Amino acid sequence: MKSRIPVVLLACGSFNPITNMHLRLFEVARDHLHQTGLYQVIGGIISPVNDNYRKKDLVAAHHRVAMARLALQTSDWVRVDPWESEQVQWMETVKVLSTEPLNCENDTCGHLPQRLTQKRKPIFRGISDMDRPITGPELKLLCGADVLKTFQTPNLWKDAHVQEIVEKFGIVCVSRTGHNPKEYISGSPILHRYRHNIHLAREPVQNELSSTYVRQALSQGHSVKYLLPDAVIAYIKDHNLYTRDSS
Amino acid sequence: MKSRIPVVLLACGSFNPITNMHLRLFEVARDHLHQTGLYQVIGGIISPVNDNYRKKDLVAAHHRVAMARLALQTSDWVRVDPWESEQVQWMETVKVLRHHHSELLRSLPQTEGPDHGRVGSTARTAGPELKLLCGADVLKTFQTPNLWKDAHVQEIVEKFGIVCVSRTGHNPKEYISGSPILHRYRHNIHLAREPVQNELSSTYVRQALSQGHSVKYLLPDAVIAYIKDHNLYTRDSS
């Protein structure tokens, strides 16, 4: 019986704040890959974007990392990685993908900064160098269909990066209301060529929950309970984030 | 300054199982009523339907009550009431409303006797109102022939009132204008919009569970754990 390919899912984004919708992406993607019979999802990583991305209303990275950490307390397979947010400047998604330790071909990732340190704990329980399967784990970019669409936006992504993402890593794209990911793929030569490496997972529960909505609701004093974990809501209150006065 | 009318929201339904969508109904409804400036929501009640309602795939009431209780552990204003589910037979919604309204009135502090320095009882606000909380899909069912008694619909909208939270694919204003009774008492039907369109349903959750798919973040972890521990909604269970 052929072994399944181990996979780690990496989600990049603002997570401003993290919501149940972000958390669902991982669950839906994992179920989808398992159903193909080809993959075994062994871990998930949330990588909040660097403050220097300068997105409007982006709260400080340490808050966004802390909120994600709280949200993931009850998850036994997804964790937050603050590395991207701690770098001096913003970096392209493909750099985040290619510097995740699991995908390094050797201990140092070429000329890229070494990420593994002595102090760093093993990333995934049960996987050590001795047990490492013959097929190393594949790192795949997890995103919503709205992100897939942005690949078409002129000058937003470098073609070479898009190619590296779909060729070397692969994408798991979870559908979202109002988006047709198949169209985005057929509309892009690069995506089309590597469509076998783009997995389209359908979230049957169409859900328009977005961080933008949550920030708006909070600034208007509306309840966001059950849209994101209670621990995150408490953190937001304690630190006075997303109020009418905060930017 | 005119005092706000105290309101308790009552949601009837299968809650088979309870989901984050049900829990959101209360939050959205409360925010909506508060924004009118007229009401103060002082409580919420989830009333799971009686087993004798005989809906397909309905798990035993004690489970549905237990799951709702777990789901509401972190709520400081909504509670589950098993009264309806514990009755010998199924009962119409209006009867459940009547029961909880009289319970609500009975639980109020008595105002007989001297004032003890408080604001005079004559200045006390209007008595608490009990309103039916539902999704727009339920409002639509008022039109279904022979499903609701006209007299009951009238009592619900006239004596109690409805807070209806919108749902994808439903147009509650149409349902109201399409029914003479609802139209007459439209001032007592509050339409709250849930800006986050969400198609999460108990039916979907049951389906996902029977297929071994994850339902994490769709309902509270404590409810998921209960479902696992009691082997509910598996492929084999009915």
Side-chain angles (χ1 to χ4, degrees), chain B residues 194-206:
Chain B
E194 163 69 292
V196 181
Q197 286 310 322
N198 190 338
E199 290 183 11
L200 172 58
S201 69
S202 298
T203 304
Y204 169 75
V205 168
R206 294 196 302 272

Side-chain angles (χ1 to χ4, degrees), chain A:
Chain A
M1 180 169 112
K2 192 167 175 218
S3 327
R4 290 171 173 244
I5 300 165
V7 168
V8 172
L9 299 170
L10 171 74
C12 299
S14 307
F15 301 101
N16 186 35
I18 192 166
T19 70
N20 283 345
M21 183 273 292
H22 295 124
L23 299 163
R24 275 300 291 163
L25 286 186
F26 283 88
E27 302 293 310
V28 171
R30 177 169 71 161
D31 283 344
H32 177 87
L33 288 183
H34 285 179
Q35 277 206 293
T36 64
L38 303 170
Y39 301 100
Q40 181 64 40
V41 177
I42 61 170
I45 302 169
I46 283 186
S47 179
V49 78
N50 196 287
D51 283 336
N52 288 322
Y53 189 54
R54 300 276 170 93
K55 202 170 177 183
K56 185 172 176 291
D57 301 332
L58 199 64
V59 312
H62 68 92
H63 284 314
R64 291 180 287 114
V65 166
M67 289 187 283
R69 195 164 273 135
L70 287 169
L72 292 169
Q73 269 173 344
T74 68
S75 176
D76 60 4
W77 67 284
V78 186
R79 65 174 186 94
V80 62
D81 184 352
W83 182 84
E84 178 185 354
S85 67
E86 290 167 350
Q87 299 313 298
V88 168
Q89 55 192 18
W90 172 77
M91 58 174 47
E92 292 106 330
T93 299
V94 72
K95 286 217 172 76
V96 182
L97 281 163
S98 51
T99 54
E100 278 296 337
L102 274 181
N103 228 39
C104 283
E105 286 175 315
N106 39 51
D107 282 342
T108 59
C109 299
H111 65 284
L112 293 164
Q114 183 169 347
R115 298 191 63 198
L116 286 169
T117 66
Q118 291 294 340
K119 287 194 289 188
R120 189 183 283 268
K121 286 191 274 194
I123 291 159
F124 298 101
R125 267 178 292 149
I127 301 283
S128 69
D129 283 333
M130 307 238 265
D131 299 333
R132 193 170 286 278
I134 294 163
T135 312
E138 294 188 5
L139 183 67
K140 297 197 180 301
L141 181 66
L142 169 63
C143 64
D146 52 340
V147 173
L148 202 69
K149 184 178 186 184
T150 68
F151 286 171
Q152 298 171 353
T153 307
N155 300 324
L156 188 58
W157 299 81
K158 295 195 174 85
D159 279 356
H161 288 180
V162 176
Q163 171 143 350
E164 186 175 346
I165 290 172
V166 291
E167 186 186 9
K168 275 194 59 180
F169 299 98
I171 294 178
V172 184
C173 171
V174 179
S175 65
R176 199 163 177 173
T177 323
H179 288 277
N180 188 345
K182 285 190 175 159
E183 263 180 34
Y184 308 150
I185 295 175
S186 45
S188 153
I190 302 176
L191 295 187
H192 183 76
R193 190 179 322 134
Y194 295 99
R195 62 195 182 282
H196 57 279
N197 221 6
I198 302 174
H199 304 270
L200 300 180
R202 288 210 63 76
E203 163 68 294
V205 182
Q206 286 310 321
N207 190 337
E208 290 184 13
L209 171 59
S210 69
S211 297
T212 304
Y213 170 75
V214 169
R215 294 196 302 272
Q216 207 173 45
L218 285 166
S219 75
Q220 293 169 355
H222 292 158
S223 166
V224 293
K225 197 166 166 66
Y226 312 114
L227 300 181
L228 48 166
D230 283 343
V232 180
I233 299 177
Y235 183 98
I236 290 170
K237 276 198 167 70
D238 292 344
H239 293 82
N240 219 29
L241 304 177
Y242 307 119
T243 59
R244 209 169 287 120
D245 309 318
S246 58
S247 62

Side-chain angles (χ1 to χ4, degrees), chain B residues 11-73:
Chain B
C12 300
S14 308
F15 302 102
N16 185 36
I18 192 166
T19 70
N20 284 345
M21 184 272 292
H22 295 124
L23 300 163
R24 277 299 293 165
L25 286 186
F26 282 89
E27 302 292 311
V28 171
R30 178 169 70 163
D31 282 345
H32 177 88
L33 289 183
H34 285 178
Q35 277 205 295
T36 65
L38 304 170
Y39 301 102
Q40 181 64 40
V41 177
I42 59 171
I45 302 171
I46 282 187
S47 177
V49 79
N50 195 287
D51 282 336
N52 289 321
Y53 189 54
R54 299 278 169 94
K55 201 170 177 185
K56 186 172 175 293
D57 301 332
L58 199 64
V59 312
H62 67 92
H63 284 314
R64 293 181 286 114
V65 167
M67 289 187 283
R69 194 164 277 134
L70 286 169
L72 292 168
Q73 271 174 342

Side-chain angles (χ1 to χ4, degrees), chain B residues 157-181:
Chain B
V157 290
E158 186 185 7
K159 275 197 59 181
F160 300 102
I162 293 178
V163 183
C164 170
V165 179
S166 65
R167 200 165 177 171
T168 323
H170 288 276
N171 189 345
K173 285 188 175 160
E174 264 182 34
Y175 307 150
I176 294 175
S177 47
S179 153
I181 302 176

